Amino acid sequence: MRVMALDIGETRIGVAISDPAARVATPVCVLPASEVEHGAKPWRRVLQDWEPEALLCGLPRSLDGSEGPQAHRVREVAQAVSKAADLPLYFADERLSSVEAKRILREKGCSEREMRGKVDMIAASVFLQAWLDLRRNEEKDLSSL
């Protein structure tokens, strides 16, 4: 199952995709949030090009695991995008995914300015990979019963 991850922000949305076997996450692009939220042509093109079978949206939680106003907004946007795309929707904990994305980009030698356009798609790939790994491990645990 090919899963598309969205790191939903107020200004930008980072997009990542899994391979068809749902084993590896790859960053795809960053789009203006308004284009995704309103189903603009660039967003529709991404959906056509990658043909996802499900959407995974990062849910911003506080460090204690609770959901605040930002998580509520993300849920609303994600549900609207999912409904418009006619795709099942899942959520993943995205805590610290942006921190990890910045670390990855720094290791590649990116400056703060260069990072701005990339952090969101890298963060989406970080929480997508963690979600894929968790699902694979859960399946492995169930098969050993």
Side-chain angles (χ1 to χ4, degrees):
M1 170 174 70
R2 189 179 288 265
V3 180
M4 182 171 281
L6 303 178
D7 183 19
I8 299 173
E10 291 182 27
T11 306
R12 293 177 298 275
I13 295 182
V15 181
I17 194 77
S18 76
D19 64 313
R23 293 195 177 278
V24 179
T26 304
V28 173
C29 65
V30 176
L31 294 171
S34 61
E35 288 184 4
V36 177
E37 291 174 25
H38 297 103
K41 190 175 183 176
W43 168 239
R44 291 192 318 265
R45 180 70 186 261
V46 169
L47 289 172
Q48 288 172 343
D49 288 350
W50 292 100
E51 299 178 338
E53 297 169 60
L55 291 178
L56 175 71
C57 293
L59 197 58
R61 295 178 183 266
S62 62
L63 290 178
D64 69 3
S66 63
E67 292 184 21
Q70 182 68 6
H72 179 71
R73 188 189 75 75
V74 166
R75 279 189 186 276
E76 286 181 353
V77 170
Q79 288 166 345
V81 170
S82 168
K83 184 176 180 181
D86 193 28
L87 291 170
L89 175 64
Y90 302 93
F91 288 97
D93 187 346
E94 72 163 20
R95 278 181 285 186
L96 305 176
S97 62
S98 292
V99 172
E100 178 66 10
K102 287 180 182 180
R103 185 193 63 75
I104 290 167
L105 290 168
R106 268 192 214 98
E107 285 180 2
K108 291 185 175 192
C110 290
S111 68
E112 288 293 322
R113 183 178 178 154
E114 293 169 321
M115 280 189 220
R116 257 183 242 139
K118 299 175 184 173
V119 169
D120 300 308
M121 70 177 174
I122 302 295
S125 69
V126 166
F127 67 74
L128 174 56
Q129 188 64 59
W131 187 81
L132 294 171
D133 293 346
L134 180 64
R135 281 182 45 123
R136 195 168 46 256
N137 288 337
E138 288 173 352
E139 289 172 6
K140 202 182 304 180
D141 290 345
L142 287 175
S143 68
S144 66
L145 294 178

